[in-house]
Amino acid sequence: MQQEKTAYIFSGKAKDVYEKSIDTLLFEFTDRVTAFDGKKKSECHEKGEITCKVAEYWFKILENSGIPTHYIECPTSTSMIVKRLDIVPVEVIWRNYVAGSLLRRYEAGDNLIPEDVEPKEGSLIPGGMIDFTTKFEIVDRPVNTDEIISNGWLSKEEIKYIEDLTKRINEIMSHELATSGIILADFKVEYGRTSDGNIVLADEVGTPDGCRFWKKDDFDNGVISSLDKDVFRKNNGDLNLAYNELYNKLHNMNM
Ligand code: TMP
Ligand code: ASP
């Protein structure tokens, strides 16, 4: 069913955003897939529907667990209505395992990997770690908490609040996935401020676009099999199959 959309606002990498009312937005999840700051682009059949349903699944679980979010409802299988927020210009990454840019930065001489953790894809980071990148710059870049504070993006107290919330989101999602055969290796979240100044979870959460999900049985045999956008980034398989496999595994739980 086509939803009535009041005014088109902009298109992100994978979502189109419309104004629904003065204080709500409508996200339309599309089949677009991009990586490497938009340099690699494609379309993936059913991706819009899968990412919307998966985000809806996690938003409901997180809300029920006391995490404040902007989620309101999904009027169709590819669209979501959310509260309008003032988005914090920082992307927040939680890592349970070494992968992706953490390893690339290490190889380039910028070592953030905790001592005692082997700098190799798939090494467990005991207790996990958080890091931040910019948002709204032409190319997102790593940013530390001193710069976040000095740019006025977040106060020291707000950073602590966001760290605690992100840690809690990791615990909730990891707990939920414990019996699914999926490992949550890392994920990215964004936050925004409501009109009364409260910080809440924004954008989308728990989708294979913004998380690394690894198959546990393969991982236990020393092989990393991704059910997320790394399949596209690394060109190693059929993204549609990977997204469907993730969706089916979540669905088999209680989605
Ligand atoms: P990274 O290893 O490339 O920094 O990515 C860490 C996680 O965050 C990974 O699950 C992908 C996700 N992510 C995004 O969704 N969008 C982004 O812009 C970045 C940098 C990471
Ligand atoms: N920041 C990266 C990009 O723009 C995120 C990703 O690879 O998903 O593509």
Side-chain angles (χ1 to χ4, degrees):
M1 186 186 65
Q2 193 63 19
Q3 277 292 304
E4 195 190 319
K5 294 156 189 156
T6 38
Y8 169 79
I9 304 183
F10 76 103
S11 292
K13 286 173 188 145
K15 297 191 285 293
D16 296 332
V17 180
Y18 298 82
E19 179 178 78
K20 179 81 184 153
S21 71
I22 188 128
D23 47 15
T24 60
L25 298 176
L26 183 129
F27 288 168
E28 183 65 46
F29 288 73
T30 75
D31 288 348
R32 293 195 296 272
V33 44
T34 77
F36 310 118
D37 298 304
K39 288 192 215 55
K40 186 171 178 183
K41 285 188 199 165
S42 188
E43 290 255 324
C44 173
H45 177 58
E46 294 177 327
K47 175 175 177 283
E49 192 162 339
I50 291 174
T51 48
C52 183
K53 286 182 172 166
V54 170
E56 177 188 27
Y57 169 76
W58 288 118
F59 270 128
K60 286 182 174 168
I61 288 177
L62 293 169
E63 280 278 345
N64 287 336
S65 309
I67 303 289
T69 83
H70 71 161
Y71 172 79
I72 298 175
E73 61 168 337
C74 285
T76 72
S77 60
T78 56
S79 66
M80 181 178 288
I81 299 175
V82 299
K83 278 176 227 147
R84 207 167 182 155
L85 302 172
D86 185 14
I87 296 293
V88 172
V90 170
E91 302 198 352
V92 182
I93 294 165
W94 184 271
R95 302 179 189 275
N96 295 313
Y97 290 83
V98 174
S101 72
L102 188 63
L103 200 54
R104 283 203 307 278
R105 287 176 69 182
Y106 170 80
E107 285 158 0
D110 180 15
N111 186 15
L112 300 178
I113 300 175
E115 248 178 77
D116 302 333
V117 174
E118 197 187 343
K120 168 173 155 261
E121 187 179 42
S123 294
L124 176 72
I125 304 170
M129 63 177 277
I130 199 160
D131 73 64
F132 303 94
T133 72
T134 57
K135 184 174 168 69
F136 303 137
E137 293 189 353
I138 294 168
V139 174
D140 298 337
R141 64 181 168 87
V143 64
N144 62 30
T145 52
D146 288 344
E147 188 184 343
I148 293 172
I149 294 167
S150 65
N151 286 342
W153 291 336
L154 290 166
S155 67
K156 196 170 164 214
E157 294 69 32
E158 286 173 330
I159 292 176
K160 172 79 175 76
Y161 179 72
I162 279 180
E163 282 179 352
D164 289 347
L165 220 49
T166 308
K167 185 166 192 231
R168 183 84 189 105
I169 291 169
N170 176 59
E171 286 164 0
I172 295 164
M173 293 206 294
S174 300
H175 175 78
E176 196 63 27
L177 290 171
T179 55
S180 67
I182 303 167
I183 293 172
L184 177 62
D186 61 27
F187 63 90
K188 184 264 303 179
V189 280
E190 297 180 20
Y191 292 91
R193 290 187 181 85
T194 59
S195 49
D196 37 18
N198 294 321
I199 290 184
V200 308
L201 182 64
D203 191 46
E204 62 186 62
V205 64
T207 69
D209 276 7
C211 301
R212 288 194 170 91
F213 294 116
W214 294 339
K215 286 202 244 182
K216 186 166 183 327
D217 49 359
D218 286 346
F219 187 80
D220 291 343
N221 289 316
V223 176
I224 291 182
S225 302
S226 300
L227 296 179
D228 58 56
K229 203 163 77 173
D230 265 354
V231 171
F232 177 72
R233 294 189 190 96
K234 295 179 172 178
N235 235 345
N236 65 357
D238 182 330
L239 192 67
N240 181 265
L241 283 183
Y243 276 39
N244 267 290
E245 187 172 341
L246 176 80
Y247 178 78
N248 289 333
K249 280 188 193 303
L250 293 177
H251 200 76
N252 288 342
M253 295 198 312
N254 47 20
M255 190 172 168

